[in-house]
């Protein structure tokens, strides 16, 4: 072999490592010093043919693996892409998606270069100069749409270079992808035993994935008392199943025990890919919206989660988690690149995007440079809707910051939680004293007993949950008020000298005042109204119209509380004060603000201070914030969407506004279809109002499901399209927040070194359990075996 190499060739080759067997020797051209070998990541190969490196740029040892991966994935054919037009002569021409049907097995289209490519020739094109178009269908791409006959001439005759490449592709895939082929030299009994072991391994991995539990153990040696969850669970299964026991661990061949970390990762990858495949197939070519947010995981890596919102074939609103991407930067450009990369991997087209939902951060929803704006440049129909639940929280925060008395109650509450919960000993004392109070109240009949009542509780921190946490904190403080006072007394008398005793004394003085008790109950009542709204907004099937109506309901309840709720609130506070020995001031006496002298204090009564300056003022601030942030009239789009609601026999129906809604989506409604919609709406509304099946519906979600159930979605396809566009508009980013909650379970302090791929696979299966449960072991086995087959082929 050495005689074939020049001095220049020897610079990059270790002569001693060259194979002696002529059958294993590589062509001399493969040792070119100018080769730029590309690192191989089979799971993340570029899908756009215009962005792929040449197949010869891969190492010869990797080329068949890359070829097989592309052949299994199939040619890149973005049928839903809006193909751009180019001028040829005096005519505008563009790529015709019907060509995909004519040349379905090899024709590819590059979105980035607006060019056509041949998958087979890319993978196996021989070096034959200018035959069959030279490099046009491999490197440069074919884009002369005026001469579409070149597609057929590229195929050529039976012995053309293209057909030779096709034959090589078929030869590469001819071997069967089944277990019996991989192990064709083994006996039938060995194959059956292997299947039993593999199914047992998958069953164990299913359990661990569904629970988000770690797989590996600190010491997995045979002498270890705890070999990790996977091995211990597999051993437990073998101990309770004779069929598995007969073929597992010591009874299995040394090379197919299926206990190694690589096997575990491959099976998890297969499970995640099959789960994602079902989700993508369910989306199909439907329109969809995305909900995006980013957060840091336990290893301080910035992760971006993406949830897709769409309508299934039964008319149900579905939100599915489709992936998490590690982003090195949280700039809008980096986030958009990550979204595009994920879309490319899933085969989703940004042209089908009709809505965006973020948490309100500037890098997400910035008007000029945010992710919202960047996506809108590519797709003007991808309308952005600010997360309703975050708007609600901002309304509450505004009240807490802008009103002195409300700011004080949250300041005191936070400090109470910190002082009382500073140690486990204090928490135990708190629980014990509260339990004693509950028993005493049960004995005297103040509390009712029964299953699920009077459970052990503790003070909640305001940050325990993302939404509604302040409400839970105030409720728990009211419930445990007496026990909290007792614990603060202990801290004041027996706690460490210094700041803690001083803080306990200050808190006791603040809490045992009528003003604190009054504001505590006032905010608890106000937050109970908005807490219900917050919980409703977090439903995955919530629609934009119903969300608007829920906001209106909250406004009405707050207004009713302002008009009618003073007396009942005062009575509740007075009873609370009497029970806890807090002095209730005479409402007709002059109010003296704490810390201010009488000479400078305004001359007002206690009634005026508590009713006007606190009660009315706080509620008015809440109402103003809600009206400002949730003003449906400020959004023309939402105003038009509201006309679809079926409530009160389609009372809000307005044909002109629905026509205007269709005009917001020029990609989905051509001028001709807008005219057809005008006539279709006339028949539609007459049908709806005269049909009893549609008279009791409450929201557009119910309307969509009923239309599918009765076949009206086919009778009125354009109206149903309007419904679909309204339903996929995002309401809240609760689904994305749940992803981050799940991430803290899957990637915790003890698993902080897990890779991004492992985290993504584990999260996908953990969150989308209902989809994963519907995937049988056979599908996972097939994918797993395909992965093994590729490795066996490369190593042979």
């Amino acid at each position: 072999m050495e005689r074939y190499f020049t001095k220049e060739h020897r610079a990059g080759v270790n002569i001693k490592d060259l194979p002696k067997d002529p059958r294993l020797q590589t062509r001399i051209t493969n040792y070119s010093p100018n080769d730029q070998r590309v690192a191989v990541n089979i799971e993340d190969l570029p899908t756009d043919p215009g962005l792929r490196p040449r197949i010869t740029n891969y190492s010869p040892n990797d080329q068949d693996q890359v070829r097989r991966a592309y052949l299994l994935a199939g040619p890149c054919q973005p049928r839903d892409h809006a193909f751009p037009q180019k001028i040829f002569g005096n005519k505008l021409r563009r790529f015709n998606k019907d060509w995909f049907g004519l040349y379905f097995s090899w024709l590819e289209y590059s979105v980035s270069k607006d060019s056509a490519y041949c998958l087979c020739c890319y993978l196996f094109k021989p070096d034959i100069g200018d035959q069959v178009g030279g490099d046009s269908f491999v490197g440069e791409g074919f884009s002369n749409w005026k001469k579409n006959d070149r597609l057929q001439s590229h195929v050529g005759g039976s012995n053309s270079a293209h057909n030779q490449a096709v034959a090589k592709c078929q030869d590469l895939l001819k071997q069967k992808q089944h277990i019996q082929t991989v192990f064709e030299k083994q006996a039938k009994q060995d194959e059956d035993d292997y299947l039993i072991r593999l199914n047992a391994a998958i069953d164990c991995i299913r359990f661990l994935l569904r629970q988000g539990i770690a797989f590996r153990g600190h010491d997995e040696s045979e002498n270890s008392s705890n070999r990790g969850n996977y091995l211990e669970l597999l051993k437990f299964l073998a101990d309770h199943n004779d069929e598995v026991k007969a073929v597992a661990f010591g009874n299995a061949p040394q090379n197919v025990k299926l206990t190694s970390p690589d096997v575990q990762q491959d099976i998890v990858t297969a499970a995640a890919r099959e789960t994602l495949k079902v989700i993508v197939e369910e989306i199909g070519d439907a329109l969809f919206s995305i909900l995006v947010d980013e957060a840091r995981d336990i290893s301080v890596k910035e992760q971006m989660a993406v949830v897709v919102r769409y309508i299934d074939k039964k008319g149900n609103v579905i939100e599915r988690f489709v992936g998490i991407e590690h982003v090195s930067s949280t700039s809008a450009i980096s986030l958009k690149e990550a979204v595009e990369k994920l879309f490319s991997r899933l085969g989703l087209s940004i042209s089908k995007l009709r809505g965006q939902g973020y948490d309100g951060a500037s890098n997400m929803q910035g008007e000029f440079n945010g992710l919202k704006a960047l996506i809108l440049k590519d797709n003007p129909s991808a309308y952005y809707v600010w997360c309703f639940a975050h708007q609600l929280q901002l309304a509450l925060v505004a009240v807490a910051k802008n009103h002195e008395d409300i700011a004080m109650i949250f300041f005191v509450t936070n400090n109470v939680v910190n002082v009382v919960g500073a140690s486990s000993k204090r928490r135990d004392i708190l629980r014990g004293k509260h339990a004693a109070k509950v028993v005493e109240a049960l004995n005297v009949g103040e509390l009712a007993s029964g299953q699920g009542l009077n459970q052990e509780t503790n003070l909640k921190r305001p940050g325990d949950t993302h939404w509604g946490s302040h409400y839970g904190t105030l409720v728990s403080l009211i419930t445990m008020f007496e026990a909290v006072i007792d614990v603060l007394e202990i801290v004041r008398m027996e706690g460490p000298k210094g700041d803690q005793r001083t803080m306990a004394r200050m808190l006791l003085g603040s809490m045992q005042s009528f003003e604190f008790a009054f504001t505590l109950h006032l905010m608890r009542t106000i937050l109970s109204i908005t807490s219900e709204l917050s919980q409703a907004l977090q439903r995955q099937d919530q629609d934009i119209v119903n969300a608007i109506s829920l906001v209106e309901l909250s406004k009405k309840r707050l207004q009713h509380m302002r008009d009618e709720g003073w007396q009942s609130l005062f009575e509740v506070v007075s009873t609370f004060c009497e029970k806890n020995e807090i002095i209730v001031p005479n409402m007709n006496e002059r109010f003296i603000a704490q810390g201010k002298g009488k000479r400078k204090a305004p001359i007002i009564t206690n009634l005026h201070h508590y009713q006007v300056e606190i009660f009315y003022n706080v509620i008015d601030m809440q109402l103003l914030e809600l009206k400002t942030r949730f003003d449906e009239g400020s959004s023309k789009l939402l105003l038009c969407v509201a006309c679809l609601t079926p409530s009160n026999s389609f009372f809000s129906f307005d044909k002109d506004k629905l026509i205007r809604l269709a005009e917001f989506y020029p990609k989905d409604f051509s001028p001709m279809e807008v005219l057809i919609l005008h006539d279709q709406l006339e028949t539609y509304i007459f049908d709806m109002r005269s049909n009893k099946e549609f008279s009791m519906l409450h929201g557009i979600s119910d309307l969509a499901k009923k239309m599918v159930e009765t076949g009206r979605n086919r009778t009125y396809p354009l109206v149903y399209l309007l419904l679909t566009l309204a339903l996929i508009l995002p309401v809240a980013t609760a689904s994305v927040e749940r992803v981050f909650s799940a991430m803290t379970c899957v990637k915790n302090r003890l698993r902080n070194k897990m890779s991004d791929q492992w985290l993504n696979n584990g999260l996908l299966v953990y969150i989308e359990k209902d989809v994963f449960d519907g995937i049988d072991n056979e599908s996972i086995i097939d994918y797993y075996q395909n992965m093994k087959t590729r490795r066996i082929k490369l190593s042979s």
Side-chain angles (χ1 to χ4, degrees):
M1 285 292 292
E2 187 173 353
R3 66 180 183 275
Y4 294 126
F5 289 93
T6 65
K7 180 179 180 181
E8 290 75 17
H9 286 132
R10 292 193 188 100
V13 179
N14 189 344
I15 302 299
K16 295 180 180 180
D17 293 338
L18 292 173
K20 305 297 184 182
D21 191 333
R23 294 173 298 175
L24 302 178
Q25 293 171 358
T26 307
R27 291 173 58 91
I28 192 70
T29 55
N30 289 340
Y31 291 100
S32 171
N34 297 321
D35 279 354
Q36 299 296 322
R37 298 303 182 200
V38 179
V40 178
N41 182 356
I42 295 301
E43 304 298 332
D44 195 27
L45 291 173
T47 55
D48 190 315
L51 303 178
R52 296 171 183 162
R54 287 181 175 272
I55 198 71
T56 53
N57 285 355
Y58 292 98
S59 168
N61 293 332
D62 297 331
Q63 288 177 11
D64 274 357
Q65 184 183 13
V66 173
R67 287 176 176 128
R68 184 179 297 279
Y70 276 120
L71 288 173
L72 290 174
C76 177
Q77 298 181 345
R79 298 173 184 266
D80 296 325
H81 177 64
F83 300 102
Q85 295 181 330
K86 291 182 180 178
I87 297 178
F88 291 86
N90 57 356
K91 290 186 178 181
L92 285 172
R93 298 178 184 272
R94 61 183 174 186
F95 182 90
N96 188 347
K97 65 179 180 180
D98 292 340
W99 296 339
F100 286 141
L102 296 174
Y103 308 104
F104 62 90
S105 63
W106 62 267
L107 181 60
E108 298 189 292
Y109 176 82
S110 169
V111 174
S112 63
K113 294 190 176 181
D114 185 30
S115 300
Y117 292 82
C118 175
L119 175 62
C120 298
C121 290
Y122 164 72
L123 299 177
F124 285 104
K125 180 179 181 295
D127 186 11
I128 53 176
D130 294 332
Q131 185 176 340
V132 296
D135 202 40
S136 60
F137 281 88
V138 178
E140 301 172 358
F142 172 74
S143 60
N144 190 352
W145 312 132
K146 182 179 179 181
K147 298 182 179 181
N148 54 32
D149 56 327
R150 288 282 299 279
L151 296 172
Q152 183 58 44
S153 63
H154 169 74
V155 176
S158 59
N159 198 34
S160 67
H162 169 81
N163 283 320
Q164 290 179 27
V166 171
K168 291 179 180 179
C169 291
Q170 293 172 349
D171 291 341
L172 187 63
L173 291 179
K174 270 183 180 179
Q175 57 181 332
K176 295 182 180 178
Q177 307 283 322
H178 203 265
I179 296 170
Q180 62 191 33
T181 303
V182 179
F183 298 96
E184 59 186 357
K185 295 182 180 180
Q186 298 183 6
K188 181 67 169 62
Q189 185 61 47
D190 292 337
E191 297 173 11
D192 293 341
D193 293 347
Y194 173 78
L195 272 176
I196 294 172
R197 279 194 301 275
L198 185 53
N199 274 288
I202 292 174
D203 289 340
C204 292
I205 287 174
R206 276 184 181 275
F207 177 83
L208 297 175
L209 286 174
R210 292 189 85 262
Q211 302 301 317
I213 301 175
F215 281 51
R216 302 292 303 281
H218 178 69
D219 181 6
E220 294 189 344
S221 64
E222 293 185 2
N223 298 326
S224 174
S225 60
N226 185 354
R227 302 178 65 189
N229 291 324
Y230 173 74
L231 294 178
E232 291 293 338
L233 186 59
L234 188 59
K235 183 177 182 300
F236 176 85
L237 180 61
D239 290 342
H240 291 77
N241 187 314
D242 293 336
E243 189 179 34
V244 175
K245 186 175 183 178
V247 299
F249 293 108
N251 296 324
Q254 192 67 29
N255 61 337
V256 282
K257 288 181 178 292
L258 302 181
T259 56
S260 72
D262 290 341
V263 169
Q264 298 171 37
Q265 291 190 19
D266 286 348
I267 294 177
V268 170
T269 298
R273 292 307 170 88
E274 288 298 313
T275 302
L276 193 58
K277 178 183 175 182
V278 172
I279 294 174
V280 172
E281 288 177 350
E282 187 178 48
I283 297 173
D285 61 349
L287 303 174
F288 62 91
S289 295
I290 57 170
L291 297 96
V292 181
D293 201 357
E294 80 274 359
R296 291 181 180 179
D297 60 25
I298 193 66
S299 58
V300 200
K301 295 174 70 175
E302 202 73 32
Q303 304 287 358
M304 184 188 74
V306 180
V307 171
V308 175
R309 181 181 173 96
Y310 59 96
I311 310 300
D312 68 6
K313 294 180 180 180
K314 296 182 179 179
N316 298 305
V317 180
I318 306 294
E319 289 184 1
R320 295 287 188 198
F321 168 65
V322 293
I324 197 164
E325 290 281 338
H326 169 54
V327 286
S328 56
S329 168
T330 56
S331 65
I333 294 177
S334 298
L335 295 176
K336 183 173 183 289
E337 289 176 352
V339 170
E340 290 176 336
K341 180 180 178 182
L342 180 63
F343 276 19
S344 176
R345 191 164 65 244
L346 299 179
L348 298 176
S349 173
I350 200 170
S351 64
K352 290 290 185 179
L353 193 61
R354 292 297 179 271
Q356 308 175 63
Y358 313 122
D359 65 354
S362 59
N363 61 333
M364 291 288 192
Q365 59 91 34
E367 183 177 355
F368 300 105
N369 298 315
L371 177 60
K372 174 194 78 171
L374 294 178
I375 290 181
L376 281 173
K377 288 180 182 178
D378 293 342
N379 184 358
S381 297
Y383 292 105
Y384 167 70
V385 179
W386 199 2
C387 173
F388 272 51
H390 276 279
Q391 285 181 285
L392 179 67
Q393 279 298 94
L394 290 173
L396 304 183
V397 171
V399 171
K401 288 183 176 180
N402 295 335
H403 196 285
E404 181 180 348
D405 295 295
I406 302 305
M408 177 58 71
I409 186 180
F410 285 117
F411 173 79
V412 171
T413 301
N414 288 339
N415 281 284
V416 167
V417 174
N418 290 334
V419 172
V420 174
S423 67
S424 57
K425 180 180 178 181
R426 293 180 191 175
R427 288 176 176 269
D428 290 339
I429 294 173
L430 178 65
R431 280 191 286 262
K433 288 189 173 291
H434 179 63
K437 299 288 184 184
V438 170
V439 171
E440 182 182 347
L442 287 170
N443 290 335
V444 299
E446 291 182 4
L447 287 178
S449 61
Q451 185 175 1
L453 298 177
N454 310 311
Q455 299 293 314
E456 182 182 279
T457 185
N458 211 328
L459 281 181
K460 288 187 177 182
R461 291 185 178 273
D464 283 349
T465 56
H466 196 74
W467 291 312
S469 57
H470 290 88
Y471 173 67
T473 302
L474 300 185
V475 169
S476 61
L477 182 57
I478 292 172
T479 305
M480 307 182 71
F481 190 85
E482 294 178 73
V484 170
I485 294 297
D486 290 344
V487 174
L488 287 175
E489 287 283 5
I490 294 173
V491 175
R492 185 176 70 87
M493 298 298 295
E494 304 175 6
K497 293 182 179 180
D499 293 344
Q500 290 223 2
R501 287 192 180 188
T502 304
M503 179 62 73
R505 182 178 179 180
M506 184 199 74
L507 293 175
L508 283 169
S510 298
M511 292 179 65
Q512 292 177 304
S513 67
F514 178 81
E515 186 156 341
F516 180 85
F518 179 81
T519 51
L520 178 65
H521 282 80
L522 171 63
M523 286 310 299
R524 192 269 303 173
T525 306
I526 290 176
L527 294 182
S528 68
I529 296 173
T530 49
S531 177
E532 293 171 6
L533 170 61
S534 179
Q535 294 298 320
L537 290 174
Q538 294 176 53
R539 282 175 41 201
Q540 293 186 353
D541 61 346
Q542 187 62 266
D543 63 75
I544 202 83
V545 175
N546 198 41
I548 295 172
S549 66
L550 285 171
V551 173
E552 291 301 314
L553 178 62
S554 294
K555 293 178 186 177
K556 291 177 181 178
R557 289 189 61 188
L558 283 172
Q559 186 63 50
H560 178 76
M561 178 182 174
R562 187 188 191 281
D563 297 337
E564 308 290 341
W566 162 256
Q567 190 59 39
S568 60
L569 177 66
F570 182 76
E571 291 174 358
V572 169
V573 176
S574 298
T575 303
F576 177 84
C577 290
E578 291 173 7
K579 179 181 178 182
N580 293 282
E581 299 179 354
I582 298 173
I583 298 174
V584 179
N586 187 330
M587 290 293 109
N588 295 320
E589 292 182 356
R590 181 183 176 185
F591 170 75
I592 303 298
Q594 190 175 7
K596 295 182 180 180
K598 291 184 179 181
R599 186 165 53 85
K600 294 183 179 181
I603 304 175
I604 58 173
T605 63
N606 287 319
L607 178 64
H608 178 85
H609 172 70
Y610 290 109
Q611 185 176 31
V612 177
E613 293 186 344
I614 298 181
F615 182 77
Y616 288 154
N617 193 8
V618 170
I619 295 178
D620 287 343
M621 291 175 69
Q622 280 281 358
L623 283 170
L624 180 62
E625 287 293 328
L626 289 175
K627 289 177 181 178
T628 301
R629 295 186 180 276
F630 294 97
D631 181 12
E632 63 179 278
S634 63
S635 173
K636 295 180 181 179
L637 176 65
L638 298 186
L639 191 63
C640 295
V641 167
C643 297
L644 288 166
T645 179
S647 303
N648 300 321
S649 298
F650 296 84
F651 175 79
S652 301
F653 177 83
D654 187 320
K655 185 175 70 173
D656 294 335
K657 289 182 179 179
L658 292 178
I659 295 295
R660 202 176 309 150
L661 176 61
E663 292 171 349
F664 276 103
Y665 298 94
K667 288 187 176 182
D668 303 298
F669 292 91
S670 65
M672 180 180 296
E673 287 172 327
V674 171
L675 288 176
I676 296 173
L677 175 64
H678 188 282
D679 299 328
Q680 197 174 102
L681 285 170
E682 294 281 357
T683 308
Y684 159 80
I685 192 60
F686 181 82
D687 185 11
M688 295 296 103
R689 287 174 173 170
S690 60
N691 196 313
K692 291 183 179 180
E693 288 185 277
F694 293 87
S695 61
M696 302 299 291
L697 302 178
H698 299 290
I700 59 176
S701 298
D702 295 337
L703 176 60
K705 286 183 279 190
K706 181 60 70 173
M707 287 188 71
V708 173
E709 182 183 325
T710 59
R712 298 297 203 288
N713 61 319
R714 295 188 298 273
T715 307
Y716 310 110
L718 297 179
V719 178
Y720 186 73
L721 178 56
L722 279 180
L723 267 177
T724 299
L725 291 168
L727 284 170
I728 62 177
L729 286 174
V731 177
T733 58
S735 295
V736 188
E737 301 295 340
R738 293 186 185 102
V739 171
F740 295 134
S741 297
M743 186 168 68
T744 61
C745 298
V746 174
K747 187 173 183 178
N748 52 39
R749 183 176 59 85
L750 297 177
R751 306 175 72 189
N752 60 0
K753 293 184 179 180
M754 66 191 310
S755 66
D756 292 332
Q757 182 180 347
W758 181 268
L759 173 61
N760 182 74
N761 292 340
L763 269 180
L764 183 68
V765 176
Y766 180 73
I767 294 171
E768 301 300 340
K769 292 184 180 73
D770 56 333
V771 179
F772 179 50
D773 290 343
I775 298 172
D776 55 25
N777 282 11
E778 187 66 31
S779 300
I780 297 175
I781 289 174
D782 286 343
Y783 194 97
Y784 172 72
Q785 286 305 136
N786 285 334
M787 297 171 66
K788 289 198 63 180
T789 302
R790 289 196 292 269
R791 293 197 183 104
I792 292 173
K793 176 66 177 178
L794 288 172
S795 62
S796 62

